[in-house]
Amino acid sequence: MPEMNLLEAIRAGIDEMMAADERVYIIGEDVGKRGGVFRVTEGLVDKYGEMRVIDSPLAESIIVGSSIGAAMYGMRPIAEIQFADFIFPAFNQIVSEAARIRYRSNGAWDVPMVIRAPFGGGIHGALYHSQSVEAFFAHVPGLKVVVPSTPYDAKGLIKASIEDPDPVLFFEHKKLYRLIKGQVPEEDYRVPIGVADVKREGSDMTVLSYGLTLHQSLEAAEQLSAEGVEVEVVDLRTLRPLDKETILNSVRKTGKVLIAYEDNRFLGYGAELAAIISEEVFEHLDGPIMRVAGADVPAMPFSPPLEEAFMPSTEKIAAAMRELAGY
Amino acid sequence: MQLERDDLLKMYRLMLLARLLDERTWQLNRQGKAPFVISCQGHEAAQVGAAYALKPGKDWVVPYYRDLAVMLTIGFTPLDHMLGLLGRADDPNSGGRQMPSHYSHRKLNIVTHSSPTGSQVPHASGIGLAIKMRGDDAVVWTSFGEGTSSQGDVHEAMNLAGVYNLPVIFFCENNGYAISVPQKKQMGIENVADRAAGYGFPGVVVDGTDVIQVYEATAAAVERARRGEGPTLIEAKCLRLTAHSSDDNERTYRSPDELKAIRSQDPITRFTDYLMVEGILDEASQKRIREEVMAQINEATVMAERAPLPDPATLERHVYAEHEA
Ligand SMILES: Cc1ncc(C[n+]2csc(CCOP(=O)(O)OP(=O)(O)O)c2C)c(N)n1
Ligand SMILES: [Mg+2]
């Protein structure tokens, strides 16, 4: 079984889907010869040609809007937004169009498409190359939101997303692209959308996370283990639809919850998790639902000390775990 | 295709049907039965002329809310329209979910559109891209008002169509107003069609009150697109004979003189006169067609009023794909 990093796994998944189904195509900025600014689509234009790996004009609304039209025609577009920070020019197309087309046509039309976007900070990308945008989209019924955090999951999830009959936002943490390596089977497999995964078992508290903070949480859990606290780490993998069962079962077992995410804390994804947990398993809680999240400033600054101050980290998460363990 | 006598009579009937059906919707609005009406009156020649050049069920149509006559030409029935107007369960557009005149008909390749103006135009370019990728013989036609031509989405859509030479016909129905805002506050040019040069394809201005002229221009654009030669922007100069919608009062921004003047350019009168002069229509046939059309409209009204409303239990359906049990 080959070892791959996250971006190679995503590429392998896309490549296999394009080979198997000629309705699948890629459209985005610099996705052709350059292979995308992060090189996720590297080599695909040579294999599939310029009409299946399409260098779009520099205009996000048409990247998404044309993909919606093509999907309604019967194609399976993969729209790449170069950085999640630049998805907002396409916000109307995603929220007013892609998300609502099935609903507003009473099921007559559908939009089977994937919108891929690298997100997240810690790469000196400053305000406009570091953002986490998942909460804007996870809020919207009609959209699915997927965030893979390991190479195995990334390949299985991108394939499931391409096959999915509804619009899927596929957010890839850009710091994980080359950081995280893992075994990825060559054979055909899927990781289903809407199923979370317990990445580390433990009995003393539950950590819910996705993206870079998932890996920070796993590291922090090792530190706590040395201190005699066993932390269960749940990788959400899909933010919408949410796998409530896995989450609630873990909370029932541990009685304590820490949510770690990189987006701004206020009304971020953790807020909804906290609400669901307190509504549904309140009687199992032995402490406050805690959050470690990005700072409530408009976006991530550039200079290293400011960037570090914004970002969650293994240390910040470990500190929160210790605090929660004290209850 | 050369228009035969029969074609002209069909076009006349469609224009009249659109007009009289539209008038009926205003009556229902005044009776308190239809909460919202938006009208095609004054656009009938442009819409029938354009849609007549398309092959229903083969070509793709991405319309906007004013396109009742387009819909009827492609194959929508008066009952279909009435069901949407009254928010009935069997409304083919949306099952009563969308506002009236937000069209969709999957079997006729009429693509669902929304309310944010211009957001349908990128879909047309995407459909054009898909047609080209698949090597299909279809073309895609999309429409929007001159006010909407200010939207970035319209620019982005035309730009993509220009880059990839897509089989798209962009059809701007210029009635001089975006609700109350006149064209001169919308753009610094006289013809929206002039913008086509900036995208690398032809732009054509036609008289939107002349159904034959609009048909010929559209047929030429359709042939061009089918030959793989790319998009065309057609601008039809139309009249808006009503308020923007049933929620608008045009007397707050249009003078009595203007309102009177536009009446004298009514496209239906113009086409009727033409057909009379050509000897294609006479008093008797005109009367007969009118009666047949009215009978159709009366029947559609009765049937739609009797049709069931949606079941509130369906509120949460079709958010995502539903798997068959
Ligand atoms: C994005 C957006 N902004 C504003 C509106 C409100 N609105 C609906 S129609 C309209 C005017 C459209 O004018 P035009 O494009 O010329 O089309 P017409 O109605 O004249 O045919 C406006 C401002 C809207 N529906 N969508
Ligand atoms: Mg207008």
Side-chain angles (χ1 to χ4, degrees):
Chain A
M1 197 158 37
E3 192 180 78
M4 288 185 188
N5 62 29
L6 192 84
L7 79 80
E8 289 164 340
I10 296 167
R11 182 194 301 137
I14 293 173
D15 191 356
E16 288 169 27
M17 294 304 282
M18 290 183 77
D21 183 349
E22 60 174 30
R23 298 171 305 166
V24 180
Y25 74 96
I26 299 168
I27 183 164
E29 293 153 15
D30 303 288
V31 296
K33 273 197 180 148
R34 177 68 188 142
V37 293
F38 291 99
R39 328 307 302 276
V40 173
T41 58
E42 191 173 29
L44 297 178
V45 72
D46 299 327
K47 222 166 151 180
Y48 299 105
E50 288 190 342
M51 282 310 282
R52 285 187 71 197
V53 182
I54 300 174
D55 273 329
S56 71
L58 203 176
E60 285 71 18
S61 191
I62 194 66
I63 293 173
V64 174
S66 70
S67 299
I68 291 170
M72 286 195 278
Y73 191 82
M75 303 297 282
R76 296 268 172 172
I78 304 171
E80 176 173 313
I81 301 293
Q82 197 159 72
F83 287 83
D85 312 66
F86 310 134
I87 203 167
F88 301 115
F91 197 77
N92 179 60
Q93 285 293 337
I94 298 170
V95 172
S96 302
E97 302 297 322
R100 295 188 198 178
I101 280 173
R102 183 188 296 284
Y103 190 77
R104 77 178 188 222
S105 66
N106 209 22
W109 292 97
D110 51 4
V111 184
M113 70 180 289
V114 179
I115 301 169
R116 292 184 38 244
F119 80 103
I123 50 102
H124 314 304
L127 285 81
Y128 302 102
H129 299 80
S130 303
Q131 252 174 287
S132 297
V133 300
E134 65 276 11
F136 293 114
F137 299 102
H139 178 63
V140 180
L143 299 178
K144 295 184 177 179
V145 179
V146 172
V147 186
S149 303
T150 67
Y152 177 89
D153 288 348
K155 182 176 162 190
L157 280 166
I158 190 72
K159 295 183 88 168
S161 299
I162 294 166
E163 269 172 358
D164 197 89
D166 287 298
V168 179
L169 285 127
F170 196 86
F171 293 127
E172 306 158 7
H173 198 293
K174 61 179 90 74
K175 191 164 184 179
L176 297 182
Y177 270 150
R178 293 170 196 278
L179 188 68
I180 301 299
K181 297 195 173 63
Q183 302 286 310
V184 178
E186 270 172 277
E187 58 271 19
D188 197 29
Y189 69 94
R190 306 285 181 276
V191 171
I193 292 176
V195 182
D197 186 39
V198 177
K199 287 282 193 288
R200 183 186 197 283
E201 290 198 22
S203 53
D204 297 328
M205 74 175 69
T206 297
V207 174
L208 305 175
S209 193
Y210 54 93
L212 179 60
T213 50
L214 174 87
H215 294 280
Q216 294 167 342
S217 300
L218 287 167
E219 274 180 22
E222 289 305 311
Q223 291 183 16
L224 270 281
S225 179
E227 299 164 23
V229 177
E230 290 306 328
V231 178
E232 178 144 304
V233 180
V234 180
D235 178 359
L236 298 181
R237 298 200 294 199
T238 301
L239 306 187
R240 186 167 195 141
L242 180 63
D243 178 2
K244 283 210 273 186
E245 207 173 287
T246 299
I247 293 167
L248 298 179
N249 280 341
S250 178
V251 177
R252 283 188 196 102
K253 183 172 84 177
T254 65
K256 288 177 183 168
V257 191
L258 174 68
I259 305 162
Y261 59 109
E262 194 179 307
D263 197 357
N264 312 97
R265 168 190 293 260
F266 187 88
L267 275 184
Y269 193 74
E272 181 63 29
L273 292 174
I276 290 171
I277 291 164
S278 64
E279 275 172 354
E280 303 201 18
V281 288
F282 182 74
E283 67 278 15
H284 291 90
L285 290 174
D286 297 324
I289 301 171
M290 289 180 60
R291 288 177 288 170
V292 173
D296 278 318
V297 296
M300 202 176 299
F302 174 67
S303 189
L306 293 173
E307 186 185 67
E308 267 169 45
F310 179 102
M311 294 271 295
S313 65
T314 303
E315 290 64 41
K316 290 178 194 174
I317 293 170
M321 286 172 174
R322 286 185 195 105
E323 190 186 334
L324 186 57
Y327 280 90
Chain B
M1 183 187 84
Q2 187 64 38
L3 290 175
E4 306 293 339
R5 193 189 158 87
D6 263 6
D7 294 309
L8 296 175
L9 280 171
K10 269 191 216 156
M11 291 165 112
Y12 171 74
R13 183 184 285 268
L14 285 163
M15 285 169 62
L16 193 68
L17 174 61
R19 171 64 59 89
L20 297 177
L21 181 58
D22 197 286
E23 286 178 352
R24 173 59 54 84
T25 66
W26 286 91
Q27 288 161 11
L28 292 169
N29 176 254
R30 281 191 289 269
Q31 291 168 14
K33 290 176 177 168
F36 178 78
V37 167
I38 196 153
S39 209
C40 72
Q41 291 186 40
H43 289 231
E44 295 93 341
Q47 293 178 5
V48 172
Y52 209 82
L54 302 171
K55 291 209 164 65
K58 173 182 177 180
D59 294 327
W60 285 61
V61 178
V62 188
Y64 84 120
Y65 51 78
R66 230 174 262 297
D67 281 333
L68 174 57
V70 170
M71 296 298 293
L72 295 169
T73 306
I74 300 295
F76 219 57
T77 68
L79 177 60
D80 289 337
H81 187 57
M82 280 293 174
L83 290 168
L85 183 81
L86 302 179
R88 294 315 208 243
D90 292 333
D91 156 35
N93 304 295
S94 74
R97 290 175 172 203
Q98 291 232 70
M99 280 177 110
S101 303
H102 285 51
Y103 298 113
S104 168
H105 198 296
R106 175 114 205 205
K107 287 205 185 83
L108 295 171
N109 290 347
I110 296 166
V111 176
T112 169
H113 64 93
S114 62
S115 298
T117 54
S119 56
Q120 75 281 14
V121 187
H123 304 169
S125 291
I127 290 164
L129 190 63
I131 290 170
K132 183 158 180 162
M133 285 189 278
R134 305 246 76 180
D136 291 343
D137 190 36
V139 304
V140 52
W141 178 94
T142 187
S143 60
F144 48 89
E146 88 294 339
T148 296
S149 78
S150 299
Q151 290 282 359
D153 265 359
V154 175
H155 157 71
E156 292 189 23
M158 290 200 203
N159 184 51
L160 185 76
V163 171
Y164 287 98
N165 242 8
L166 303 177
V168 188
I169 295 98
F170 296 97
F171 191 72
C172 178
E173 301 181 28
N174 183 349
N175 57 19
Y177 285 96
I179 309 186
S180 68
V181 178
Q183 184 185 341
K184 66 178 190 309
K185 291 189 178 169
Q186 197 69 243
M187 61 192 82
I189 52 175
E190 200 173 313
N191 299 317
V192 174
D194 292 349
R195 293 196 186 137
Y199 304 113
F201 52 79
V204 187
V205 178
V206 291
D207 179 347
T209 66
D210 181 345
V211 64
I212 296 172
Q213 205 187 113
V214 179
Y215 168 79
E216 282 169 353
T218 312
V222 167
E223 271 169 44
R224 188 182 126 80
R226 264 198 236 289
R227 284 195 305 268
E229 290 170 22
T232 305
L233 168 59
I234 300 172
E235 175 183 9
K237 306 282 192 189
C238 300
L239 303 167
R240 203 186 76 198
L241 292 179
T242 63
H244 171 72
S245 74
S246 54
D247 296 330
D248 180 34
N249 178 1
E250 61 181 336
R251 287 186 297 276
T252 59
Y253 55 87
R254 285 177 114 174
S255 71
D257 284 350
E258 180 184 335
L259 290 170
K260 214 171 132 194
I262 54 171
R263 285 278 149 208
S264 67
Q265 301 160 54
D266 187 323
I268 308 244
T269 316
R270 180 176 177 171
F271 196 40
T272 310
D273 292 349
Y274 171 83
L275 294 175
M276 298 282 235
V277 169
E278 294 292 311
I280 297 169
L281 200 65
D282 58 23
E283 296 288 344
S285 56
Q286 198 192 347
K287 184 161 175 279
R288 181 175 47 76
I289 292 172
R290 198 184 173 88
E291 280 167 7
E292 285 168 10
V293 164
M294 278 314 286
Q296 239 186 315
I297 292 169
N298 289 336
E299 192 195 341
T301 310
V302 171
M303 285 176 72
E305 289 197 73
R306 282 193 201 134
L309 288 160
D311 178 352
T314 62
L315 175 72
E316 294 186 8
R317 291 198 57 192
H318 303 303
V319 179
Y320 297 99
E322 293 176 359
H323 299 290
E324 275 158 46

